[in-house]
Amino acid sequence: MTSIGILGAGRVGTNLAGKLSAAGHQVTLGGRASEGTAARAAGAAPRIAFADQRTTARSADIVINATPGDSSLDRLTDLRTELAGKILIDVSNATRDADDGLPDELCYPGSSLAERLQAVLPDTHVVKTLNTMLFMVMTAPETLATPPTVYVSGDDDNAKKTVTGLLADLGWQPSWIEDLGDISTARATEAMILIVPHILRRHGFKPFAVSLSR
C-alpha cells in the first residue's frame, strides 16, 4: 500500500482517487472543503480522506497534480518544501481556453508545464503521464475499442518505474505504456492537447486517447 495525495478534487482527481483506493492505496484528496463535499456527492469512496492541499502534499509518499494546468505552477511552487524528496505525477495540461471553454493554446509554448515544475521543484521527481486522454480513460483504458497508449516522461528512472506500477493499478497493460524519455519529452505530449477540442466539437464528449498504432 502506498500513501497517495491528489491535488485537485474535481473530476480528474476524484476519478483517480476511486480507482487507486480500490487498488488498496491510502488516498487523500487535497482541495477546498467545497470540493471535498462535491467529490463525496459524486460517489467518492468513503475510505478516501480529504484535506487541504498543503496537508495532502506533506502527508503523502506520492503526489498527483490534478489541479488546473494554467495555475499549477504557482500552486505547486508554494508547496516546494512539502514536495521535496517525493514523486510528483503531473497529469495536467496548461492551456488557455477558447470562448467555448475548450483548450485553445498552450501556456508554455516551446516548453511544458512538467518542465517548469521540475525546474522550480529540483528536489522532487516529476513524472508526466495520463495527460493525452479524457479523464474516464485514465482509470478504464480497457473500455476503448482499440488499445490506447499512455506516455511517460521524467528524468528519474526509478520514479518512472514506480509510476508504471501505479499505471498498472489503473488498468494499463505494459504494452500500452510508452516511456518517451526525460522530462523535456513532456512538451510533445502536452502539445497533443491541441487536437482535443477539434475532436470534442465533432464527436462530443466521448472517451478517447491520443495513441500510437503499430
Side-chain angles (χ1 to χ4, degrees):
M1 180 182 70
T2 302
S3 173
I4 299 173
I6 301 176
L7 306 180
R11 291 182 301 182
V12 174
T14 303
N15 186 48
L16 290 169
K19 188 66 174 281
L20 290 169
S21 177
H25 299 290
Q26 178 183 335
V27 178
T28 301
L29 270 173
R32 299 182 297 271
S34 59
E35 289 179 320
T37 300
R40 288 193 184 281
R47 60 185 173 276
I48 296 172
F50 291 90
D52 63 86
Q53 293 188 356
R54 191 175 301 279
T55 300
T56 298
R58 182 188 301 117
S59 60
D61 299 319
I62 296 172
V63 179
I64 298 174
N65 174 39
T67 65
D70 59 350
S71 61
S72 289
L73 190 59
D74 289 339
R75 291 172 187 252
L76 273 65
T77 298
D78 189 48
L79 299 176
R80 182 185 291 110
T81 299
E82 289 79 7
L83 293 171
K86 299 181 180 181
I87 295 173
L88 174 66
I89 304 173
D90 179 29
V91 305
S92 294
N93 287 303
T95 61
R96 297 180 180 88
D97 294 343
D99 292 340
D100 61 2
L102 295 176
D104 184 53
E105 60 181 29
L106 301 174
C107 291
Y108 308 113
S111 182
S112 65
L113 171 59
E115 289 174 273
R116 298 293 183 96
L117 288 172
Q118 187 62 85
V120 300
L121 302 170
D123 298 322
T124 302
H125 302 302
V126 178
V127 178
K128 188 81 181 191
T129 192
L130 290 171
N131 62 306
T132 55
M133 62 201 69
L134 292 191
F135 75 92
M136 65 284 286
V137 180
M138 294 178 177
T139 58
E142 72 283 354
T143 60
L144 295 184
T146 55
T149 304
V150 61
Y151 306 96
V152 178
S153 301
D155 291 337
D156 187 272
D157 287 340
N158 287 329
K160 287 193 289 186
K161 288 179 182 177
T162 298
V163 172
T164 297
L166 290 181
L167 290 174
D169 289 341
L170 293 174
W172 291 89
Q173 297 183 19
S175 61
W176 300 349
I177 301 172
E178 189 74 23
D179 185 343
L180 296 179
D182 65 33
I183 200 65
S184 69
T185 63
R187 68 182 64 177
T189 59
E190 289 190 27
M192 290 179 183
I193 190 66
L194 297 180
I195 197 174
V196 171
H198 306 296
I199 294 173
L200 293 181
R201 290 184 187 114
R202 286 182 61 85
H203 302 287
F205 203 71
K206 299 178 181 178
F208 74 91
V210 183
S211 301
L212 290 174
S213 178
R214 291 191 175 95

